[in-house]
Amino acid sequence: MRDLKLPDERHPEKAHRPDNAQPKKPSWIRVKAPTSEGYKKTRDILREKKLVTVCEEAGCPNVGECWSQGHATMMIMGEICTRGCTFCNVATGRPDALDVFEPGRVAVAVEKLGLNHVVITSVDRDDLEDGGAEHIAQTIRAARRKNPGTTIEVLVAAKPDVFNHNLETVPGLYPEVRPGARYFHSLRILQRVKELDPAMFTKSGIMVGLGEDRQGVLQVMDDMRSADVDFLTVGQYLQPTPKHHAVARFVTPEEFEGYRKAAVGKGFLMV
């Protein structure tokens, strides 16, 4: 039995990689340990329903802020991913069988959390013939039946309100950062969603601090807009362990503001 709390067992595919130094985080990134009652309530509901979140599995530093407001990103189809991206803290390996009761538990959790908007993501399931698409569709349908007033954002289409597929980084870094993915394939997915349903909102995101330059980020924005992507997120990459891709640098708040202004100027509806 693997202990997924241990880095060597959580990421066996990275065991051979040399350690990368983890630089000290600047003041604008550091956060305090979460202690609010809202955080504890969200945590207890998720534990009760035996749900996995990307907030915890990816080691997101904003978990305290989001959970204190009752916001959480559900990660379905298990906690083990079939891919081994060098930036990601989600465990890798051979996943367990799908839990047929998971869609119902997600729907109840959304109701108990009182969410107006829910984000449902998943691990990659290359072991499944459909990649888990039907399971995600069942989860969306269950959440919508139980919570008709809640908007739903997902990474696989089953008539969600927002279709989200992250490009993650600039194309030149894909071979080392996302070796199991293809930049233009991901871009085409976003474009195809708009072709099938022009009224559906689409969203994508990238990380910065992986070694890209400003021009590369602006080019990704242009590529997204050429695919009619509506919403954009840009976030700082944080290295989960020494075995993960190194942080090239920390992007300053002023640079992030520059990216926001550039993205708004390019036509994104929300940044």
Side-chain angles (χ1 to χ4, degrees):
M1 180 71 71
R2 291 170 62 186
D3 184 350
L4 298 183
K5 292 184 173 63
L6 300 176
D8 287 347
E9 295 192 30
R10 189 175 182 83
H11 305 289
E13 82 292 349
K14 295 180 176 66
H16 68 284
R17 293 172 57 88
D19 287 356
N20 289 310
Q22 293 180 274
K24 184 178 180 181
K25 296 181 179 67
S27 59
W28 63 82
I29 287 179
R30 295 179 205 150
V31 294
K32 295 181 179 179
T35 58
S36 72
E37 289 304 313
Y39 168 85
K40 294 174 184 175
K41 178 183 176 183
T42 300
R43 179 198 61 194
D44 292 347
I45 291 173
L46 294 170
R47 296 287 187 275
E48 176 192 345
K49 298 304 172 187
K50 297 181 174 62
L51 295 175
V52 179
T53 67
V54 74
C55 319
E56 290 183 292
E57 297 304 310
C60 180
N62 298 321
V63 62
E65 179 182 353
C66 294
W67 285 22
S68 67
Q69 300 174 47
H71 299 161
T73 297
M74 314 290 183
M75 190 174 81
I76 61 175
M77 300 198 295
E79 57 185 339
I80 299 176
C81 184
T82 53
R83 300 189 187 179
C85 297
T86 63
F87 68 86
C88 187
N89 193 46
V90 174
T92 54
R94 180 177 295 176
D96 297 325
L98 292 177
D99 180 354
V100 297
F101 299 106
E102 183 177 52
R105 295 202 308 275
V106 169
V108 173
V110 170
E111 180 185 43
K112 283 198 168 188
L113 289 168
L115 299 181
N116 294 319
H117 181 80
V118 60
V119 182
I120 301 172
T121 185
S122 71
V123 292
D124 278 301
R125 291 298 300 258
D126 297 309
D127 58 312
L128 302 174
E129 187 174 351
D130 69 347
E134 178 56 30
H135 187 86
I136 296 175
Q138 290 175 3
T139 303
I140 293 170
R141 289 193 288 265
R144 181 156 282 147
R145 281 195 300 268
K146 192 78 171 172
N147 308 276
T150 300
T151 54
I152 301 171
E153 176 181 329
V154 297
L155 280 74
V156 175
K159 197 60 179 177
D161 300 283
V162 181
F163 181 94
N164 181 2
H165 185 69
N166 290 331
L167 295 183
E168 304 293 9
T169 187
V170 299
L173 291 177
Y174 261 58
E176 57 182 291
V177 175
R178 298 191 75 197
R182 298 294 179 269
Y183 177 82
F184 289 104
H185 178 71
S186 289
L187 193 64
R188 176 59 180 150
I189 290 173
L190 291 161
Q191 184 181 42
R192 184 61 177 153
V193 169
K194 278 292 190 181
E195 290 172 354
L196 292 171
D197 187 352
M200 184 178 294
F201 290 116
T202 53
K203 175 182 174 183
S204 191
I206 62 170
M207 298 172 289
V208 291
L210 284 160
E212 74 296 322
D213 58 23
R214 177 177 171 80
Q215 186 55 46
V217 174
L218 296 179
Q219 182 60 57
V220 171
M221 291 183 190
D222 287 336
D223 292 344
M224 289 182 184
R225 288 300 299 135
S226 71
D228 291 325
V229 173
D230 300 298
F231 307 148
L232 169 69
T233 61
V234 183
Q236 172 69 52
Y237 167 63
L238 298 176
Q239 182 183 346
T241 74
K243 297 295 185 183
H244 284 76
H245 193 287
V247 174
R249 72 187 190 94
F250 290 107
V251 177
T252 66
E254 292 76 19
E255 290 176 279
F256 275 112
E257 177 60 16
Y259 283 140
R260 187 194 68 78
K261 289 180 178 178
V264 170
K266 292 178 185 292
F268 286 98
L269 300 179
M270 190 178 297
V271 183

